[in-house]
Amino acid sequence: MHEQHHDHGVTVTAATRRGPLWAALLLLLAFMLAEVVIALLTGSLALLSDAGHMLTDAASIAIALWAAGLAVRPPRGPMTFGWRRAEIISAMVNGVSLLVVALVVLVEAVRRLVDPPQVDALPVIVVALVGMVVNVVDVRLIAAANRTSLNVEGAYQHILTDLFGFIGTLVAGVVIYVTDWTRADAIASLIVVALMARAGVPITIKAVRVLMEAAPADLDLDEVREHLLGVDHVQAAHDLHAWTVTSGVTSISAHVVIADECFTDSHANEILDQLDECLAEHFDISHSTIQLEPARHRAHERNTTSV
């Protein structure tokens, strides 16, 4: 059996760029407190829903910071991959929290659509304008923290959704100010709900796929098998598994059957090198565990789970 692996820098890179995440978090917290006060004074659900969303934004960044710190811890004891998958748990929490907040806002928005309260439009417009500026800054900060990490991408989607929400809130405030049609506030909230769901569902699905150790969506195992079988002296490949350890780190394991004589003429090591090179060159996979087997060994295989 042969294992090839190297350290992968995706989560490490994200963790070493925590400065932008800290700046984004502090900016969000300051604005969120101001927004809650103004929302309560004006009676705007759009502003209050944005404040609730910003709370989840702040939580998403805090969780991203926590996960990024764990991700750089070296493997130790039973944690043979280290704490890299903490970022996937963080992404899962971020995705689910978006959906939960969306559900809460949806219920209240429908209620206010039926029975709209009075909304003071001018403060709503001012806060929405300031919120857009704050979120534009935060989007740029978080983008600098490496969006190839699903962890950082979850936080990024939180902030980006909030930015679009503020745009909707601004439009609602202007409509209310000009026409006094207060249902615009609830409609803006429904738009925010749609944006939350649009961002939360993909992040959650991606995190679930990783946690369930599904093969990466962009990796065709049939194609992988075809490439392995294309190496000289390889007769079969079974028990082929692929999974994502963390963002950008794909692992593969396989049992590869080669001609019996390859074990007696010292050709097996060369075949291993060719298999590793094949996986790295064609699929950008440098973490592989390959067990070479002579053809006569196939009869002794038990509980194989060939894919």
Side-chain angles (χ1 to χ4, degrees):
M1 184 169 64
H2 173 72
E3 180 179 14
Q4 177 192 10
H5 65 90
H6 304 281
D7 288 334
H8 301 266
V10 175
T11 50
V12 175
T13 303
T16 56
R17 296 178 183 175
R18 282 179 286 177
L21 292 178
W22 275 113
L25 176 60
L26 294 175
L27 184 60
L28 270 182
L29 289 174
F31 183 75
M32 183 192 69
L33 291 175
E35 189 178 24
V36 168
V37 172
I38 296 174
L40 293 176
L41 292 176
T42 60
S44 169
L45 174 63
L47 281 182
L48 198 58
S49 66
D50 279 330
H53 187 197
M54 290 191 80
L55 178 61
T56 66
D57 291 343
S60 74
I61 297 175
I63 292 171
L65 283 164
W66 167 77
L70 287 179
V72 297
R73 291 187 179 183
R76 180 177 301 171
M79 308 300 292
T80 57
F81 279 105
W83 292 80
R84 288 180 172 183
R85 194 158 280 187
E87 71 130 6
I88 304 301
I89 297 174
S90 168
M92 180 77 172
V93 171
N94 286 337
V96 171
S97 66
L98 272 171
L99 299 178
V100 170
V101 173
L103 180 61
V104 172
V105 175
L106 174 63
V107 172
E108 183 62 16
V110 170
R111 187 184 70 81
R112 291 198 176 200
L113 195 61
V114 175
D115 183 22
Q118 193 62 36
V119 176
D120 190 352
L122 191 57
V124 172
I125 294 173
V126 173
V127 173
L129 284 170
V130 177
M132 287 170 58
V133 173
V134 169
N135 277 269
V136 166
V137 173
D138 271 1
V139 163
R140 293 180 64 87
L141 286 171
I142 295 177
N146 187 3
R147 284 180 58 202
T148 58
S149 164
L150 189 59
N151 175 37
V152 175
E153 178 65 13
Y156 179 86
Q157 289 298 331
H158 265 272
I159 305 302
L160 188 62
T161 302
D162 213 34
L163 172 59
F164 291 138
F166 272 118
I167 295 173
T169 300
L170 174 62
V171 172
V174 171
V175 170
I176 294 171
Y177 185 78
V178 174
T179 67
D180 201 32
W181 189 52
T182 55
R183 282 188 172 86
D185 182 69
I187 292 174
S189 298
L190 290 174
I191 294 173
V192 174
V193 167
L195 292 170
M196 288 181 185
R198 182 176 179 272
V201 169
I203 292 291
T204 303
I205 290 175
K206 289 178 182 178
V208 169
R209 284 184 61 89
V210 174
L211 294 175
M212 294 298 293
E213 297 194 339
D218 59 351
L219 185 66
D220 186 338
L221 290 182
D222 289 333
E223 185 180 357
V224 172
R225 187 193 306 280
E226 182 180 342
H227 277 271
L228 294 177
L229 293 176
V231 175
D232 289 342
H233 305 288
V234 172
Q235 299 180 355
H238 62 96
D239 283 281
L240 177 59
H241 301 280
W243 66 97
T244 302
V245 178
T246 189
S247 297
V249 182
T250 300
S251 287
I252 272 187
S253 66
H255 291 200
V256 176
V257 180
I258 60 177
D260 291 354
E261 60 269 20
C262 293
F263 289 94
T264 57
D265 63 9
S266 301
H267 192 55
N269 288 337
E270 182 179 338
I271 295 175
L272 273 176
D273 291 338
Q274 292 174 356
L275 291 169
D276 289 335
E277 290 171 6
C278 173
L279 292 172
E281 178 181 351
H282 295 286
F283 305 100
D284 195 27
I285 295 173
S286 56
H287 194 293
S288 57
T289 303
I290 298 175
Q291 178 172 309
L292 293 182
E293 300 173 348
R296 64 179 182 274
H297 178 72
R298 188 64 188 269
H300 301 283
E301 284 287 334
R302 296 180 180 179
N303 299 322
T304 59
T305 53
S306 299
V307 178

